[in-house]
């Protein structure tokens, strides 16, 4: 019971703090980590120890799947070169740089142990990247690169971690074997993910029940992860591959009711899982401090700050040459891709927050190498990992908005223009359909004329928005009055439903069905007013 009560209390805290972070315009992982640290220091509260299996199995698959599902495949594909350079090259570069620094600067860190630390700290966090850039109105390409990198780089970091840990445990490491194994683990994991995605696609096609369809979306990432891990390949890439495969076919998977329900449920679950992860990171600090006895807390803090600086500088050292050097060497890249501006490259270089994957990897370190031989510097590695997460997540996360302002980055309007052009295309096609024989078969001429007039007004407003010109009050008045009348009717209908609910003469199922239809209609009106 105490554990259940603690979980419920944390879920309540996550909900409240997410609202506070939204009002303060802060990335909520920052506030949750700080709150977790504060709660962890309260006397009398039970100590929290994160189980790595819990993080890897319970949290990681759905969070990665949700991130992959929200990723645009065309944008991801267009940015695959910079994403690959960051997800593979920057992770391996950071691993090596941290390993060299740890070996030479931290007392007693052998090369294998130093590489373990480097692999733990190398991958930026997917959730932190998405939440830190949310609402900043950065150009889409920058957001795509950051989120795409964080989707794939966990696999690179965890594979490097696996072989570095094997080197510590066995004392052997063969580079060419590890390189071949890296390719096999990545390719096989991706293949398993695509196979699971294909199977889930056909199961969705057969399903006609909204609840079953929603449940299947939660089973898919776990199936992909477990299937890949069962044959010792990348479960991370399997989940990402399944998510990217299915997101392109979302329109074929769900009926409208299932789609509305699935997205609403996933938004809630992702918020709670993300919140739990980051508040648990903060709560884990007292336990980490209690277990660390090999060096003083101040010296360990100094080591953590030093490694944090190296992690941050290492990303800067990689991103700038990695952005401009290939363009200088390759004419085809110069012709195919626009030259990235220095301020945007700086944002990419600065946005390298670490998170739950790094902490889970550190916690997964074995307690002993063999009976009676403790794992070298395990507690210090845990503490350094926490310090790096704190410095990159809180320090870089809080400085991101001032940095963007200082660099003079402004929204380029590309997202809004794309939305308006899409709405215009749909409206044009709809008007053409209404004028065609196929449209004429569905309604009499006066009804078709009213509907066509409605779409023509919508198109005029969209053209005005695209041109940056506000419609005149005279043009807006008829459509505004019509919308106001529709909104008033919806409010009246809701009051009628509420009265019926009080009278208890109508089933709740029927009332909810009509309420859902009113919700959809109100959402459509909001889109018309946008």
């Amino acid at each position: 019971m105490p554990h259940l009560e603690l979980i419920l209390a944390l879920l309540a805290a996550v909900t409240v703090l997410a609202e506070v972070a939204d009002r303060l315009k802060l990335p909520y992982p920052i506030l949750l980590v700080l709150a977790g640290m504060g709660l962890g220091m309260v006397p009398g509260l039970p100590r929290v120890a994160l189980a790595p299996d819990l993080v890897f199995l319970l949290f990681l698959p759905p969070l990665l799947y949700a991130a992959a599902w929200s990723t645009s495949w065309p944008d991801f594909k267009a940015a695959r070169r910079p994403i690959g350079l960051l997800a593979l090259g920057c992770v391996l570069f950071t691993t090596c740089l941290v390993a060299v620094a740890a070996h030479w600067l931290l007392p007693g860190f052998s090369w294998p142990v130093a590489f373990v630390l480097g692999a733990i700290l190398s991958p930026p966090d997917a959730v932190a990247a998405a939440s830190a850039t949310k609402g900043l109105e950065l150009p889409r390409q920058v957001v795509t690169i950051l989120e795409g990198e964080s989707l794939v780089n966990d696999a690179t970091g965890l594979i490097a971690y696996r072989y570095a840990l094997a080197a510590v445990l066995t004392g052997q490491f063969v580079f060419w074997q590890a390189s071949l194994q890296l390719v096999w683990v990545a390719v096989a994991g991706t293949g398993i993910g695509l196979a699971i995605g294909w199977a889930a696609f056909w199961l969705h096609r057969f399903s006609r029940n909204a609840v079953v369809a929603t449940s299947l979306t939660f089973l898919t990432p776990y199936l992909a992860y477990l299937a890949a891990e069962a044959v010792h390949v990348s479960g991370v890439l399997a989940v990402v591959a399944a998510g990217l495969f299915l997101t392109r076919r979302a329109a074929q998977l769900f009926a409208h009711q299932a789609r509305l329900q699935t997205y609403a449920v996933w938004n809630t679950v992702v918020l709670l899982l993300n919140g739990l992860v980051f508040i648990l990171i903060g709560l884990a600090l007292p336990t980490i401090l209690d277990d660390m006895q090999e060096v003083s807390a101040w010296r360990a803090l100094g080591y953590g700050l030093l490694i944090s600086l190296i992690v941050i500088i290492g990303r800067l050292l990689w991103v700038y040459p990695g952005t401009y050097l290939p363009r200088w060497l390759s004419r085809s890249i110069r012709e195919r891709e626009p030259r990235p501006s220095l301020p945007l490259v700086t944002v990419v270089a600065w946005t390298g927050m670490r998170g739950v994957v790094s902490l889970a990897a550190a916690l997964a370190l074995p307690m002993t190498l063999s009976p009676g031989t403790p794992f070298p510097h395990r507690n210090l590695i845990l503490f350094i990992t926490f310090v790096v997460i704190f410095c990159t997540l809180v320090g870089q996360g809080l400085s991101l908005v001032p940095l963007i302002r200082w660099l003079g980055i402004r929204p380029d309007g590309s997202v809004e223009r794309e939305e308006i052009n899409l709405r215009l295309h749909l409206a044009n096609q709809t008007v053409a359909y209404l004028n065609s024989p196929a449209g004429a078969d569905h309604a009499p001429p006066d009804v078709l004329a009213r509907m066509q007039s409605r779409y023509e007004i919508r198109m005029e407003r969209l053209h005005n928005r695209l041109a940056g010109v506000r419609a005149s009050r005279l043009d807006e008045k008829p459509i505004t009055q019509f919308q106001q009348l529709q909104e008033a009717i919806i409010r009246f209908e809701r009051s009628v439903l509420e009265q019926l609910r009080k009278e208890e003469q109508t089933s709740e199922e029927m009332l909810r069905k009509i309420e859902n239809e009113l919700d959809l209609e109100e959402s459509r009106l909001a889109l018309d007013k946008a």
Side-chain angles (χ1 to χ4, degrees), residues 135-152:
L136 296 183
E137 297 183 323
L138 290 169
R140 172 178 292 175
Q141 185 183 20
V142 174
V143 177
T144 299
I145 290 173
L146 290 172
E147 293 185 357
E149 171 207 2
S150 60
L151 278 177
V152 184

Side-chain angles (χ1 to χ4, degrees), residues 72-282:
S72 166
W73 171 250
D75 293 339
F76 184 90
K77 184 179 178 182
R80 62 187 181 277
R81 188 187 63 81
I83 288 174
L85 283 173
L86 289 170
L88 182 63
C90 188
V91 167
L92 295 178
F93 175 75
T94 304
T95 299
C96 295
L97 187 65
V98 171
V100 170
H103 178 70
W104 290 107
L105 300 177
L106 304 187
F109 270 67
S110 64
W111 279 115
V113 174
F115 269 100
V116 167
L117 178 62
I120 288 171
L121 299 176
S122 59
D125 184 73
V127 179
S131 61
T133 56
K134 183 179 179 181
L136 296 183
E137 297 183 323
L138 290 169
R140 172 178 292 175
Q141 185 183 20
V142 174
V143 177
T144 299
I145 290 173
L146 290 172
E147 293 185 357
E149 171 207 2
S150 60
L151 278 177
V152 184
N153 63 12
D154 287 344
T156 308
L158 291 175
I159 292 168
Y161 166 81
R162 180 183 300 177
Y163 290 108
L165 184 59
V168 175
L169 296 174
T170 65
Q172 297 178 353
F173 179 79
V174 181
F175 179 78
W176 68 268
Q177 289 181 348
S179 301
L180 290 177
Q181 190 71 10
L182 172 64
V183 174
W184 160 249
V185 165
V187 172
T190 302
I192 290 175
L194 293 175
I196 295 294
W198 181 85
F201 172 76
W202 284 105
L203 287 174
H204 274 291
R205 295 291 297 272
F206 284 114
S207 173
R208 293 293 180 266
N209 186 297
V211 176
V212 172
T214 303
S215 302
L216 184 56
T217 62
F218 282 98
L219 291 175
T220 301
Y222 289 108
L223 290 173
Y225 185 85
L226 291 172
E229 291 294 322
V231 294
H232 307 293
V233 296
S234 176
V236 170
L237 285 179
V239 173
V240 171
L244 291 175
F245 177 86
L246 289 171
T247 189
R248 296 193 66 200
R249 296 158 178 82
Q252 306 171 47
L253 297 182
F254 306 112
H256 71 280
Q257 186 68 32
R259 182 161 37 248
L260 289 171
Q261 177 173 300
T262 299
Y263 286 1
V265 171
W266 266 97
N267 287 338
T268 303
V269 171
V270 167
L271 172 65
L272 293 176
L273 287 179
N274 283 338
L276 277 177
V277 164
F278 285 102
I279 203 169
L280 286 172
I281 288 175

Side-chain angles (χ1 to χ4, degrees), residues 20 22 27 33 73 79 108 143 177 212 249 308 355 387 394 415 436 485 526:
V20 172
D22 185 63
V33 168
W73 171 250
V143 177
Q177 289 181 348
V212 172
R249 296 158 178 82
S308 300
V387 173
V394 178
V415 175
S436 69
L485 177 59

